[in-house]
Amino acid sequence: MQLPTDFTEYTRRLMGDALYATLEKGLREEPPVSIRLNPFKGAAARLSVKNSAGNVAWCRDGVYLKARPDFTFDPLLHAGLYYVQEAASMFVDHVLREVVKTPVRMLDLCAAPGGKTGCAFAALPHGSMLFSNEPVRRRASILNENVLKFGVPDIVVTNNYACDYSRSRLQFDVVLADVPCSGEGMFRKDAGAIDDWSMKKVEECARLQREITSDIWPCLKPGGLLLYSTCTFNAHEDEENAAWIARELGADFVEIPTEKAWNITGSLIDSNPVYRFIPGKTRGEGFFLAVLRKHGETENANEEKRLKMVRTIDEKALKGLHVLSHGPLPDTIKGKKNVPDHSKALSVAADCSAYPRISIDYPQAIAYLRTEAITLPEGSPRGIVLITYHGYPLGFAKNLGSRANNLYPQAWKIKSSHLPKEPTIVLE
């Protein structure tokens, strides 16, 4: 790995020789592999992880793996039982459990591909509502797919810019702003991140991050919490921007208790409480997070009133947003019959009892996920059936008797024609 000279010189001055040497060594090592189980589908309670290398200490549902399997060919990944997520970014779980004790309305502002959204929702108190947003259309489609696979109904997926939210006048108790950054924390996973890096890009990102935060600031309630995060190392995008938010927008830093064994690094330039994950020192990729509480008094309300405030959304506000989903998508009407949307099969809240459940084996499951024709067991009921693998829903098919129409979404299908010799098993 050939790191840019400007990066090396700046980061060594920022971190000091010893910490920089730790980082440089870490960047040359294999990154850890980790997944986060979906508690809403019972994965954490009913199944064990086959090649577990221990739990992620700061995330209740996070697990390290000894080796990276070919996740694409695991039907249970597509069923939403777990999500492949970098361990450091799961720190959001610990933070939210520490600072949020009652139901809230939360916004994950720059959410694609969706790892932090699922992690955050699992950590929030029951009754909370989460808006998961991505401004880039292509990435928003990926986000929507992953949220629908996650399967909980209380997540609204949108494709908007921060300024659109500001115009909507929606108000949030918590905003997670995992802002676009120069990507230094991805150097060992993505060689392209090294090629794209420059000090000019760092400066451009730092300005953009301030613009995004300023745009979304009116949507954060007085007394509300901002989780500001990046996947980069430099102080311009990290400590300096967090201090700018506190000073210019009006907020106080919130200290989060952590364990010494987690090896999280604090601020490199001041005394403000911030949280740095440095490869080689912490078991994860590069990640930075600061928690800030907006100046002003939090509105007092009893539990019943607060729950109503969280879940009551002004429809006029939603009209200004491009909503992709809010729970499973509606059925499609074809002729005189309803065809259920695929997301209904994956939702933990949808009633699929009207559809016969048909269990298929591993080769058939992979064929189904490729949108190929599948053969159902003899005697299977005709009409719309729910396809399951190891008891977990994968989606719908229409059994015609002699054959079955595969209803798996084309946009979600496995594109590779490869079939592993052995099934990819992550959960058992």
Side-chain angles (χ1 to χ4, degrees), residues 37-58:
L37 304 176
N38 184 346
F40 300 101
K41 294 195 174 182
R46 300 181 205 160
L47 299 168
S48 60
V49 180
K50 183 180 180 183
N51 65 335
S52 170
N55 296 329
V56 177
W58 46 83

Side-chain angles (χ1 to χ4, degrees), residues 284-298:
E285 295 296 354
F287 184 65
F288 170 91
L289 187 140
V291 183
L292 299 109
R293 187 179 297 278
K294 185 175 182 177
H295 288 166
E297 292 296 321
T298 304

